[in-house]
Structures are given as structure tokens and as C-alpha cells.
Amino acid sequence: MSANPTSPSVFQGDLPKIGIRPTIDGRLGGVRESLEDQTMGLAGRVASMIEANIRYPNGDPVKCVIAESCIGGIAEASAAEALFRRENVGVSLTVTPCWCYGSETMDMDPLRPKAVFGYNGTERPGAVYLAAALAGHTQKGVPAFGIYGRDVQEAGDENMPADVQEKILNFAQCGLAAALMRGKAYLSMGGTSMGIAGSMVDFAFWEKWLGMRVEDIDMSEFAGRMRKGQYDQAEFDKALAWVKENCPEGDDYNTEDQKRSRETLDTEWEDNVKMSLIARDLMVGNPKLVDMGLGEQALGHQAIAAGFQGQRQWTDHFPNGDFMEAILNTSFDWNGKRAPYIVATENDALNGATMLFGHLLTNTAQVFADLRTYWSPDAVSQVCDGYQLEGHASDGLLHLINSGPATLDGTGQQSAADGTPTMKPFWDISDEEVDKCLKATTWHPSVTEYFPGGGMSTRYSTLGGMPATMTRINLVDGLGPALQIAEGFTVELPTKVHDVLDQRTNPTWPTTWFAPTLKDSGVFRSTYEVMNNWGANHCVMTAGHVGHLFITLASLLRIPVYMHNVEEDRVFRPSAWNAFGTEDREAADFRACQNFGPLYGRV
């Protein structure tokens, strides 16, 4: 199966770039001249490192733009700003090995994520400029990240220390995530699902904190397009054939009086595929619709995330969205490997935003799930003939499962370099791994009592040993959005134990057993307390221990984090956050976010 980065997507064309600002001591007559080559060389090395390590969601290497001259004062800062605006620069990184005129050389754009890298060399005071520039950013209310190497280097040393590389790349990835969201849309397909607060889409959150807009359609748009055949018929035929070959139908767990006929199930499969095509077209558009005289529909809604209401106004009458959501959230389909489309079950827009964060920070698919149950070791032992949880699960398990589906990447059938299960960017997924994901998944006629309109539900169990991060954005009246983070590992149970626990809920839904990494105090002192302090019924699981990236992105957007187990030396926020307290970092984060306000709230 080939990669298909040209699959319909909003991540095409002129994507935001990362701007590199080489600043320099402006004193001509010997000082500046002696630093020109060194400063520009530093900028070039930083740009090359970023371009070699960071990609856009479509798989293309990120593009950097270096200012055309070193920046010694306001005139050259203005010239760099003009260049950046022409080149669609969405993130800026100021670099220097020397002293420069702090506030005269700053990037003053209040909406552009920014950092300053001061080279740690004693020959020239790059660290002095770094401190002066960051003080200026803090004083003027334009927060910036400070990057400074731990060890002193020689002036001519062109090596980039590992700690500096890590901070630069983390900042660049998080800044790019923020830039990619700006100006795009969340597509609300339907309205509130079953009274779930997260599906009461809050326009202000998307607009003020993320710089996005919300687009709305009624679910009758699906019914109308299905009835009128407003989708690519040739692609439908191709997709249906692929589904019949690659999506094995599993057991029907309905009682005899609730089972649906073979003819009905076949029709449901067809509707599932049509819904998938229509949802994608609604999100990102489809030029094929122009040929059908559907020029308006062909444009789509420029949505980088969406949610499908489903229950119950749709699912009481039509097939559920399980297949549609599963396949769109997956890194491959009948057209090949491609970036996942972020689609939230039950139109939980807050989980959709959290999925979007995880995707843009890692370029991987995201697992949408209920945080359904905490299983204590005693409870597991009681129902499973004395079985004792051990290893990561020794303090109990969190059952991540949902009546909506999860990405097929979530099976864990993709492998990291060291052989551990993971979820990878689509360009790194092998054909063999695609095949394994498909074979690890079965599709079952949905439970008719839940879904009178029918549909198919996914079933799989995530492989154990995957480092993973569980996250959720919640809205708090009077506060705004706040983020929760729990790093941990997936756990694989013996089949007999898994079946006993899993079938107490519903055997047609995908399951991930998750054990958070615990600490000596606070919320993370036990797995039970993590469950007990989670802020909503839903969560997102991202492959890898990437909680530090979520924290950095949240600080860029001014979203405080009120629960996390990320080690302090991995936390990276703007230097201005230090002024709000260095002892209790969580409280300082809240004060800083409240002080500066949402990134786009003052526009």
C-alpha cells in the first residue's frame, strides 16, 4: 500500500513556515563585522536541523525562512518582519551568539509563537542578550521561550548540544501546531449528543484560544447527500471493494430477536462507506464534486477537526458513525496511507480539540475513548479467579473503551525502532503494519438496542507495553479551558482475563487497558485517584510520552494544566511564567495564563 499524501486535505499549499531571526550587535566599525559569518552560520545550522527533523502533517519537511540580513536594530527587524509576512511565517526563533540591542531586535508580533536562543559561549555575551530580550518580552506582555545550553562552548564550536536541540525542536513542533490551527475550522456535524457537555460546542474557545472558527451543518446534510448520490461514485465502488476484502465481519452479539438480516447488514455497510466519503468531503472538500455540478459542496469547510453527533437523532434511524469515525481517524484507507482526519465521536468538540493537539504534536493518529472504569487489583482478582495484576498494572487499570470507534492505529500493531508497540506518522508505517492493524480488528453488527438504525462497531484490544499519554481539555465556568495529562503505558492482559473484564461492558467496542505512571504524592499517588480526578467521561490517548509537548503547546495558547505527571525537567514554558512563581509551578501556570489571556482573545 503506497503513501498518498495528496489525499484530500487542508494541509496543502502555502503552509506556515518557521522564521529564523539572526540578531547581532549593531555596532559597525569592527564589532558587527566580526560576528556576521558566525551569526548567519548559527541561523543556517538551526534552520537545517529543524527542516531535517520536523514535518507538516502531510509528510513534507517543514520550511524555514531566514532573515535576509542579520538584525542589528529596528530597521532590519522591520525588514525581517516584512519578509516573514510575505512568506507566511507562523513561528519565529531568534538566534544569536552575542550581545544585541534587546527591545530593538525583538519579534513584536503578539500572535506568533516565539523563542530566543542565546549561544552559551563566554567570548561574546549571547546569554546576556538572551536575558535582556526575554525580560523585554515579559515586560511588554509578549511571552517568549528562552533556550540556553547547559554547558559553555567555544566560540567557533558548530556542534549543537543535545539539550539545545531538544528545546529548539520541541518549541518548533509546538509552535508549528499552533500556527497550523490558526484560521482553520472545527466542523460540528450535528449538535449536542445525549446531553454531553463537551458536545455543546463553545465558539469562544475555538476562536479565542485556538484562532479557529466553528462551522455547523445539520445531519440532514448526510441524509441528503446519501439520497442524492452526492459523492464520488467511482471512489465509493473502490472503497466498498476494499472494505469487503479488508474489514472482516465478526460475531453478531445481538439476541436472535434483535439480529438484522444479511440484506440489511449489506445495506448498512454501503451506508457506512458513503458516510465516510461524505464526512471527509464536508471537512476538506473534494474537486471531483465540481464535475457533478456541486461547486459549493466541493469546497468543504477547511476543517482540520470535526465531530459527529450521531446519538441519538441520527442513530435511531440511520447506521451509526462507528465505521466512518474509525476509518477517517486511521492513517490509511482504500486510497493508501495518509494523514488521519480528526473526527470526534458524539461531537465532543473538547475531545476533538485534544485529539487535534495530539495529532499536530506527533503527526500520528489519536485514540478517542471513554474513561470507562477503574479496575482495582482486588476487583480483578475477585472476578478472574484470583488473577493478580503486575508490572505497570500493579496498582490497577483504567479501561479506555467507547461505543464509538477508535483509530485502527490504536491496535498497537505498529512498532517503534526498539520493537515496542506505537502509532506512527503515516509515512513511517509499513504495508505489513497496515495489514496487521486490519487483521487485528473485527467489525460487528452494532447492538440494536443502542443503535436501532444499525451500523458496524469495531473490536480490538491494544497491545501492551506502548508508552502513551492520556489527555483531555475541559471547560470551567469563569476559568476557561484547562488541560489534564497522564503519561503511562498500555497493558496487555491474558485473553481469559481480558474477556471477563471486557465483556462486562460490550464485546463489540475497542479496548485499551491503560496504567498511568504514578508518583509519591498528589493525584498520581494511585491509579484510582487519576480516575477519580479526571474531568470528563472522555479522553484521548496519544502514542509516546509526550505530555511535555502538550504542556508547551498549552502555554502558547494560554491554557493552564491542572493535572500532569510529567517530570519537571521536561516542562518547557515561556520565561515569563517564572515571574508568577517558581515553587508551585502549577499555580504559576494558572496565574500566567489568566494574566496574559487567550492567545487570540485581544484581537
Side-chain angles (χ1 to χ4, degrees):
M1 176 182 282
S2 60
N4 186 21
T6 59
S7 184
S9 171
V10 296
F11 295 120
Q12 303 291 340
D14 187 21
L15 297 176
K17 302 176 182 68
I18 296 177
I20 310 298
R21 306 176 73 256
T23 55
I24 198 168
D25 191 322
R27 289 172 286 197
L28 287 168
V31 176
R32 175 166 178 158
E33 292 88 342
S34 69
L35 295 166
E36 289 277 1
D37 291 344
Q38 183 184 357
T39 303
M40 268 299 183
L42 180 63
R45 292 194 300 276
V46 168
S48 296
M49 180 185 67
I50 292 173
E51 291 180 341
N53 286 279
I54 295 179
R55 297 198 194 192
Y56 294 112
N58 65 11
D60 291 341
V62 72
K63 294 181 179 179
C64 290
V65 175
I66 302 175
E68 293 174 337
S69 71
C70 290
I71 300 169
I74 182 61
E76 289 157 324
S78 297
E81 180 61 26
L83 172 68
F84 285 3
R85 291 185 179 180
R86 291 195 304 271
E87 292 290 333
N88 190 27
V89 167
V91 185
S92 81
L93 175 59
T94 297
V95 303
T96 188
C98 60
W99 166 255
C100 317
Y101 302 159
S103 59
E104 295 181 22
T105 59
M106 288 169 51
D107 176 357
M108 289 291 291
D109 186 323
L111 303 182
R112 182 186 295 139
K114 53 186 58 61
V116 182
F117 167 36
Y119 184 87
N120 187 2
T122 57
E123 290 86 353
R124 297 286 183 174
V128 178
Y129 167 71
L130 173 64
L134 292 176
H137 279 283
T138 299
Q139 183 173 326
K140 296 174 184 296
V142 189
F145 291 78
I147 299 171
Y148 178 60
R150 179 176 294 274
D151 298 317
V152 174
Q153 294 181 261
E154 299 294 331
D157 188 352
E158 296 186 355
N159 292 317
M160 196 76 67
D163 61 329
V164 171
Q165 290 188 50
E166 182 177 8
K167 285 187 175 181
I168 288 175
L169 294 176
N170 285 356
F171 163 75
Q173 186 72 64
C174 296
L176 184 64
L180 286 166
M181 286 189 281
R182 187 178 179 186
K184 299 299 192 299
Y186 174 84
L187 177 60
S188 177
M189 299 186 290
T192 303
S193 174
M194 302 183 295
I196 296 172
S199 64
M200 300 172 185
V201 184
D202 187 288
F203 282 43
F205 163 65
W206 291 90
E207 293 167 359
K208 292 184 178 182
W209 275 270
L210 309 187
M212 294 173 59
R213 66 177 69 208
V214 175
E215 296 278 291
D216 283 292
I217 62 146
D218 188 88
M219 285 185 296
S220 62
E221 181 77 12
F222 277 85
R225 292 196 186 199
M226 290 167 71
R227 179 170 57 85
K228 296 179 180 178
Q230 294 182 339
Y231 49 84
D232 184 346
Q233 183 64 48
E235 186 178 2
F236 168 75
D237 293 339
K238 176 183 179 181
L240 186 60
W242 182 88
V243 166
K244 289 180 178 179
E245 181 179 353
N246 293 285
C247 298
E249 192 173 306
D251 294 336
D252 188 340
Y253 290 95
N254 285 289
T255 59
E256 287 302 319
D257 62 323
Q258 293 284 351
K259 288 184 177 179
R260 307 186 293 277
S261 69
R262 182 70 258 166
E263 181 181 8
T264 298
L265 294 176
D266 289 342
T267 300
E268 291 171 11
W269 271 116
E270 293 177 3
D271 287 343
N272 288 160
V273 175
K274 293 174 185 176
M275 290 166 62
S276 303
L277 297 177
I278 291 167
R280 183 202 64 196
D281 292 351
L282 284 164
M283 289 180 68
V284 303
N286 188 346
K288 295 290 183 66
L289 298 181
V290 174
D291 300 333
M292 301 168 61
L294 302 170
E296 181 182 358
Q297 292 86 340
L299 296 174
H301 290 269
Q302 286 291 293
I304 56 175
F308 182 71
Q309 176 189 342
Q311 299 183 70
R312 286 187 40 225
Q313 286 82 344
W314 178 266
T315 57
D316 277 5
H317 312 286
F318 300 94
N320 63 30
D322 284 12
F323 175 82
M324 173 191 75
E325 293 161 11
I327 203 65
L328 290 178
N329 279 317
T330 296
S331 299
F332 52 84
D333 60 18
W334 44 87
N335 288 322
K337 290 170 278 192
R338 43 89 180 139
Y341 301 94
I342 300 301
V343 183
T345 299
E346 294 159 351
N347 197 26
D348 184 346
L350 295 177
N351 232 43
T354 316
M355 293 170 73
L356 180 59
F357 282 16
H359 172 57
L360 294 177
L361 292 172
T362 65
N363 288 322
T364 62
Q366 307 294 298
V367 172
F368 181 110
D370 273 2
L371 182 52
R372 181 66 65 112
T373 311
Y374 162 69
W375 277 100
S376 70
D378 288 344
V380 172
S381 177
Q382 184 176 350
V383 300
C384 296
D385 299 325
Y387 178 78
Q388 296 297 311
L389 295 174
E390 57 187 11
H392 294 303
S394 60
D395 191 60
L397 286 169
L398 299 179
H399 194 180
L400 276 54
I401 184 173
N402 190 263
S403 57
T407 171
L408 272 59
D409 300 61
T411 58
Q413 297 290 335
Q414 300 162 21
S415 298
D418 63 0
T420 59
T422 191
M423 295 186 282
K424 300 195 289 194
F426 76 86
W427 54 84
D428 284 336
I429 300 172
S430 69
D431 290 350
E432 181 183 9
E433 289 170 331
V434 169
D435 190 55
K436 286 181 177 180
C437 290
L438 290 166
K439 288 181 177 177
T441 307
T442 50
W443 302 84
H444 302 258
S446 60
V447 177
T448 309
E449 293 173 348
Y450 272 94
F451 303 112
M456 293 291 160
S457 295
T458 49
R459 185 187 190 196
Y460 64 71
S461 179
T462 304
L463 291 179
M466 180 193 300
T469 304
M470 188 174 76
T471 54
R472 167 72 184 186
I473 296 171
N474 297 303
L475 282 181
V476 183
D477 184 38
L479 172 67
L483 177 65
Q484 295 177 287
I485 301 168
E487 293 186 341
F489 292 86
T490 62
V491 174
E492 193 169 349
L493 297 174
T495 301
K496 290 184 179 180
V497 176
H498 167 81
D499 287 344
V500 169
L501 304 183
D502 198 49
Q503 293 189 24
R504 287 174 68 106
T505 302
N506 189 299
T508 69
W509 299 343
T511 278
T512 300
W513 299 107
F514 179 77
T517 300
L518 302 181
K519 303 170 74 173
D520 293 335
S521 61
V523 170
F524 286 91
R525 66 186 180 275
S526 75
T527 304
Y528 169 80
E529 288 299 329
V530 174
M531 174 77 180
N532 199 37
N533 284 275
W534 204 251
N537 54 309
H538 290 152
C539 68
V540 175
M541 193 188 80
T542 307
H545 287 162
V546 292
H548 61 298
L549 298 180
F550 278 89
I551 290 173
T552 297
L553 177 58
S555 67
L556 278 169
L557 303 171
R558 319 295 189 251
I559 298 174
V561 179
Y562 68 99
M563 174 178 160
H564 76 81
N565 58 348
V566 179
E567 298 91 341
E568 186 173 340
D569 62 358
R570 294 169 54 213
V571 174
F572 191 33
R573 293 185 172 111
S575 64
W577 266 235
N578 295 327
F580 294 88
T582 57
E583 190 66 28
D584 186 342
R585 295 290 189 176
E586 183 174 288
D589 183 32
F590 273 78
R591 290 191 290 269
C593 289
Q594 183 178 33
N595 178 74
F596 292 113
L599 181 58
Y600 305 98
R602 300 174 183 174
V603 176

